Amino acid sequence: MMRCMETRVIEVDLLDDCRAVYKEAAAVLAEGGLVALPTETVYGLGADAFNTEAVAQVFAVKERPAFDPLICHLAHAKGLKDIANVPAELQALVDKLAHEFWPGPMTLVLPRRECVPDIVTSGLPTVACRVPSHEVMRGVVRALGHPIAAPSANRFGHISPTSAGAVMKELGGRIPMVLDAGACAEGLESTILAPCIDEKGNPAVRLLREGPITREKLRGICRVIRPGKNKAVDAAAAPTAPGQLKSHYAPAKKLVLHNPREPFEPEEGVTYGLITYQGDSPLASQDCWAEVMPLSPGSGRLAEAAVRLFAVMRAMDEHEEVQVIVAEELPETGLGCAMMDRLRRAAANRDE
Ligand code: TXA
Ligand code: MG
């Protein structure tokens, strides 16, 4: 069983001078402790990336299998060369991506340097690197002076936390400190890209996880190869992200996806909660719902829906009357692709 400890939640107001808080968090990390930290995507469970025992604690606290590697968070793109060896033929592409999207919700999988412990990369020859835009995560990385290895601050397979309250529900009593800077601005985990050379010899990226940097945003910057679309490139590539496990990001309750243009046929004796995309869904007018929660209560904006998706999934999971969660299928453009990716995994049968 997990050791129970008191978890300190420290509120961080970015309008104040936060250096003392960053130092305090960095001191916990420097001693091998874990701190949950906000990023613009979701809250992360941080450890000093160069401290193997601390990183081992991350796996223990999350109950995460050791084959699932962690992302290293840097304060600045300049720090990339300290943990990754960017191949010469990919340097121009990496520079371009870093210039466009860092700091921000993009993770690059690149050949690792020796100094990155095996436990961080699960023994892979590559390391996942990200320069987040959230001031708190970057401030603590700077104060520590090392990269911070941080997965999302939830128990393995659960919904990622987008607030300190959600972190406490997942990991309260298991970690010494949470920095609370309010809700995350993006609400979905970073886009994961593996820069590579395609079959024609040109630089490209393999899209390992959909996220806030959408395929539309990448268009015009480089070719995007979706796993499964090009067998030759897949075969040559490192293992894909285990965030790609079929069942992931899952509420405890059963979740089913439903086409909003078709009526829902409830089963006798089951109570349902409905997650709609926008405020005026035709499905919402059916009388079979114990609860209806819209992701974007007005006429539907994908960015607003993305910010609220995990919080709404959690609220449905905690709802006393709801037994089964029905989620409307979302339009698969822009951020809708990443949201549908998370919803499909939430709906996947865990026994498969
Ligand atoms: O937005 C985010 O990315 C958040 C915040 C905290 O930065 N982090 C996050 O971490 O979502 P996590 O551990 O929940 O998901 C990271 C994913 C995992 O699915 C992991 O398998 C993949 O990144 N990953 C890490 N290193 C990898 C590598 N070397 N090759 C392929 N995939 C890798
Ligand atoms: Mg995660």
Side-chain angles (χ1 to χ4, degrees):
M1 266 329 276
M2 199 55 56
R3 192 158 58 97
C4 199
M5 60 172 83
E6 195 199 330
T7 304
R8 277 178 69 204
V9 180
I10 303 178
E11 281 189 30
V12 189
D13 185 342
L14 284 169
L15 296 175
D16 296 338
D17 181 352
C18 300
R19 280 173 294 186
V21 179
Y22 299 161
K23 264 193 178 162
E24 211 178 329
V28 173
L29 293 167
E31 283 168 14
L34 307 185
V35 180
L37 300 158
T39 81
E40 71 280 22
T41 58
V42 301
Y43 275 70
L45 176 61
D48 177 344
F50 294 156
N51 181 333
T52 52
E53 277 172 37
V55 177
Q57 271 303 306
V58 170
F59 286 88
V61 160
K62 272 192 64 123
E63 300 167 39
R64 176 171 170 130
F67 61 74
D68 197 359
L70 308 182
I71 297 173
C72 287
H73 296 74
L74 303 163
H76 196 280
K78 280 185 205 146
L80 189 61
K81 62 179 181 341
D82 300 332
I83 57 172
N85 284 318
V86 180
E89 65 274 22
L90 293 177
Q91 188 70 57
L93 173 61
V94 168
D95 288 347
K96 202 164 164 192
L97 289 166
H99 179 77
E100 284 292 327
F101 301 118
W102 276 347
M106 173 184 73
T107 296
L108 294 182
V109 172
L110 292 163
R112 69 188 259 208
R113 289 193 56 173
E114 283 292 307
C115 60
V116 183
D118 272 337
I119 189 164
V120 172
T121 67
S122 302
L124 293 175
T126 50
V127 57
C129 315
R130 174 158 116 81
V131 181
S133 62
H134 203 294
E135 277 303 317
V136 173
M137 178 59 111
R138 278 193 295 145
V140 178
V141 171
R142 256 188 235 109
L144 178 66
H146 284 173
I148 291 180
S152 50
N154 51 279
R155 280 174 276 153
F156 184 69
H158 288 202
I159 305 166
S160 297
T162 52
S163 67
V167 173
M168 285 302 283
K169 285 189 185 135
E170 290 285 324
L171 303 177
R174 295 182 177 202
I175 56 174
M177 188 182 280
V178 179
L179 298 193
D180 178 359
C184 302
E186 299 280 357
L188 292 174
E189 304 86 350
S190 61
T191 302
I192 305 183
L193 302 173
C196 62
I197 297 295
D198 72 8
E199 69 282 8
K200 295 198 181 100
N202 297 318
V205 293
R206 284 185 310 115
L207 178 59
L208 298 186
R209 181 172 71 183
E210 308 239 24
I213 305 300
T214 58
R215 274 179 252 157
E216 286 84 345
K217 284 187 186 165
L218 289 163
R219 204 171 284 153
I221 296 196
C222 61
R223 179 174 168 218
V224 179
I225 302 167
R226 288 159 67 193
K229 300 272 159 180
N230 186 321
K231 293 214 170 67
V233 176
D234 276 354
T240 48
Q244 305 306 356
L245 288 176
K246 195 167 172 205
S247 168
H248 213 79
Y249 312 103
K253 290 176 186 167
K254 182 174 171 183
L255 182 146
V256 293
L257 278 165
H258 191 76
N259 180 339
R261 285 171 298 283
E262 288 169 12
F264 180 73
E265 285 170 23
E267 248 177 69
E268 197 72 40
V270 181
T271 53
Y272 295 91
L274 176 68
I275 300 177
T276 67
Y277 172 39
Q278 53 202 48
D280 57 352
S281 159
L283 272 183
S285 60
Q286 288 191 220
D287 58 8
C288 59
W289 313 114
E291 184 70 72
V292 177
M293 294 186 191
L295 293 174
S296 180
S299 55
R301 289 191 308 125
L302 287 169
E304 182 180 33
V307 169
R308 288 167 45 84
L309 178 66
F310 288 154
V312 166
M313 276 165 72
R314 263 175 202 284
M316 278 294 186
D317 217 14
E318 286 164 11
H319 195 286
E320 282 185 5
E321 283 163 60
V322 172
Q323 292 170 332
V324 173
I325 305 167
V326 178
E328 277 187 9
E329 288 167 358
L330 303 169
E332 285 194 71
T333 56
L335 281 169
C337 297
M339 279 188 276
M340 278 302 286
D341 168 73
R342 305 308 190 268
L343 282 170
R344 285 200 182 96
R345 285 176 216 287
N349 183 336
R350 267 151 260 185
D351 302 327
E352 273 174 47

